[in-house]
Amino acid sequence: MAERLMETASEISTHFRCDHCGITIDDVAWRQCKICKIFDLCHTCGKMKYNQLLASVRNDHMQRHTELGELESITDDCIEKIAVEQAEANSQTIRNKIREEHLNRIQKEKKISNDYDMSIVMDELEKLKKTSSLSSKDIEWHGLDSLLARYHLEAHERNIRILSLDGG
């Protein structure tokens, strides 16, 4: 009963989701990995021991820790309580870094694999357009325009059919 009294009663709207159960985190504080600062656990999942989380969730989380050696592992000590203000401050910097890594992968593979990749390329093209010193030839040199064209052609060739029903 005393533990229940210490739980926060405040709910807010955040863009953070629990990486274990997938719900939107609506508390003013939750648990987050202090190493990558992008692995979030809601109040309920944060009560679990790290090794009790689903193996697939732990594996996905481990993928974010490229700087850890093979012998190092993530433990309960790596997960700490964080306030929404602190999470917001960390979030933008980290998400920009992840998007940059995705853009590097896209350019290296010379392939847009999905709509998320497409949004990253579109954002990069917008940044390049805003840089007044770049010409259209510079943008072509980055190869982003050809990646867009190839993605749209491949999508057109997939022959996807959608049935949309609408009440009325």
Side-chain angles (χ1 to χ4, degrees), residues 38 91-107 114-127 144:
I38 199 163
S91 175
Q92 193 59 43
T93 304
I94 292 166
R95 293 183 197 291
N96 286 342
K97 179 183 172 195
I98 290 171
R99 286 178 76 85
E100 188 68 32
E101 290 170 0
H102 278 283
L103 180 63
N104 290 337
R105 178 193 47 81
I106 292 165
Q107 288 178 316
N114 53 43
D115 289 343
Y116 179 70
D117 287 357
M118 172 66 88
S119 71
I120 292 171
V121 170
M122 294 299 291
D123 287 347
E124 185 65 18
L125 284 172
E126 285 298 316
K127 283 188 218 170
L144 297 177

Side-chain angles (χ1 to χ4, degrees), residues 123-136 138-139 142:
D123 287 347
E124 185 65 18
L125 284 172
E126 285 298 316
K127 283 188 218 170
L128 290 172
K129 270 189 198 178
K130 289 178 183 177
T131 307
S132 60
S133 63
L134 288 176
S135 67
S136 60
D138 291 328
I139 293 173
H142 284 6

Side-chain angles (χ1 to χ4, degrees), residues 46-79:
K47 289 180 180 178
M48 298 170 67
K49 298 273 188 208
Y50 186 77
N51 63 359
Q52 292 175 326
L53 298 175
L54 294 173
S56 60
V57 171
R58 291 192 318 266
N59 289 338
D60 287 346
H61 181 212
M62 194 64 177
Q63 296 300 315
R64 298 176 185 162
H65 291 271
T66 55
E67 69 280 352
L68 287 179
E70 287 183 26
L71 299 177
E72 296 179 275
S73 63
I74 301 169
T75 64
D76 293 330
D77 296 334
C78 298
I79 310 295

Side-chain angles (χ1 to χ4, degrees), residues 24-50:
T24 300
I25 297 174
D26 57 3
D27 290 329
V28 294
W30 59 89
R31 298 185 54 81
Q32 185 180 75
C33 177
K34 63 183 178 184
I35 299 169
C36 69
K37 299 189 184 312
I38 199 163
F39 181 77
D40 301 303
L41 294 173
C42 68
H43 181 72
T44 303
C45 296
K47 289 180 180 178
M48 298 170 67
K49 298 273 188 208
Y50 186 77

